[in-house]
Amino acid sequence: MSVAAKFREAGRKIICVGRNYGAHAAELGNPVPEKPILFFKPTSSYLSEGSPIQIPKGCSSLHHEVELGIIIERTGKNISESSALDHVGGYILALDMTARDFQDEAKKKGQPWAMAKGFDTSCPVSGFIPREKVQDPQNVNLWCKVNGQTKQDGNTKDMIFSIPNLISYISQYFTLEAGDVILTGTPSGVSATKPGDTIQCGLADVVSMQFDVKQG
Ligand SMILES: CC(=O)CC(=O)C(=O)O
Ligand SMILES: [Mg+2]
């Protein structure tokens, strides 16, 4: 099976990186991390265009976070930074939908972010983007609009931890397997959405996607 089909399979990992853009860390009043902050989403959180994002029960602040996703093609452990890109099969555009009020409560209580980050429909994704279509993944524009109004307009060159650095770091702790996805963090401009909103986002002129938001 091709890696393009593999990335949505149950059993694959969705490893997410938090606060990887200084301006986003600052807008939420968080310190800039000294090493990558990692969390997971289950594969049941994937959503494709044509189906709505569902605000989870009890959430009153569902934020959009547009992100570049890396698709792993070659399995590896303790991958060096210099060979990290050899493990990449392609990319996706993703939204790390975040129940910010759940996250704030979890942070206060020292609890995990599973409810805030991993609920059903929390990971809307584009189709698989072959690696040749993104000439320089470390210098590509990421944008997000809500109801036509630009909210996020960033560039992957502003990541704190580069893509090779992330792959190498993550693989010291978790074997990276074909079909695993790394969501590389969001630039600044995140905001709350409400039922009836339409979110559009894109990766330069390579891909764009659109999702409606409804109450779950
Ligand atoms: C504060 C966050 O939710 C971290 C995160 O997901 C990010 O992309 O940054
Ligand atoms: Mg995120």
Side-chain angles (χ1 to χ4, degrees):
M1 186 193 285
S2 73
V3 73
K6 240 180 187 151
F7 87 87
R8 290 158 193 269
E9 273 188 338
R12 305 295 155 196
K13 298 185 282 302
I14 308 174
I15 304 169
C16 308
V17 181
R19 300 179 199 158
N20 199 24
Y21 290 78
H24 171 59
E27 73 181 344
L28 295 185
N30 292 313
V32 170
E34 284 164 17
K35 49 190 177 179
I37 297 173
L38 305 180
F39 58 92
F40 287 92
K41 284 179 187 276
T43 49
S44 50
S45 66
Y46 276 133
L47 183 73
S48 300
E49 249 187 331
S51 299
I53 295 167
Q54 299 198 28
I55 302 176
K57 198 174 154 197
C59 169
S60 57
S61 184
L62 180 66
H63 278 200
H64 53 82
E65 295 189 359
V66 69
E67 307 198 5
L68 173 68
I70 310 293
I71 310 282
I72 298 297
E73 182 166 31
R74 252 184 59 202
T75 296
K77 172 91 186 148
N78 295 322
I79 299 168
S80 66
E81 276 192 47
S82 58
S83 67
L85 293 181
D86 300 342
H87 291 259
V88 174
Y91 304 94
I92 50 166
L93 176 67
L95 283 163
D96 169 17
M97 296 304 297
T98 302
R100 196 68 73 197
D101 47 347
F102 291 4
Q103 188 187 35
D104 288 343
E105 191 184 337
K107 275 160 66 180
K108 261 189 232 137
K109 295 182 177 166
Q111 292 174 350
W113 294 357
M115 292 280 289
K117 293 287 197 175
F119 58 89
D120 289 352
T121 77
S122 65
C123 195
V125 287
S126 70
F128 177 81
I129 305 166
R131 55 180 286 170
E132 315 77 69
K133 291 222 165 163
V134 181
Q135 281 193 343
D136 182 0
Q138 210 63 78
N139 184 7
V140 64
N141 176 246
L142 277 171
W143 59 268
C144 181
K145 295 180 184 184
V146 178
N147 303 329
Q149 196 188 338
T150 298
K151 298 285 185 181
Q152 295 187 269
D153 186 9
N155 190 294
T156 58
K157 69 176 159 40
D158 294 322
M159 285 182 192
I160 296 167
F161 303 103
S162 70
I163 294 164
N165 187 245
L166 290 173
I167 292 171
S168 176
Y169 180 81
I170 292 168
S171 74
Q172 292 173 45
Y173 301 93
F174 307 100
T175 298
L176 288 172
E177 299 167 288
D180 287 350
V181 171
I182 300 172
L183 297 192
T184 54
T186 197
S188 61
V190 300
S191 70
T193 57
K194 56 183 189 317
D197 283 351
T198 299
I199 303 175
Q200 291 169 293
C201 55
L203 180 71
D205 56 0
V206 178
V207 75
S208 64
M209 60 185 190
Q210 176 170 320
F211 291 88
D212 293 335
V213 179
K214 71 170 217 186
Q215 186 59 54

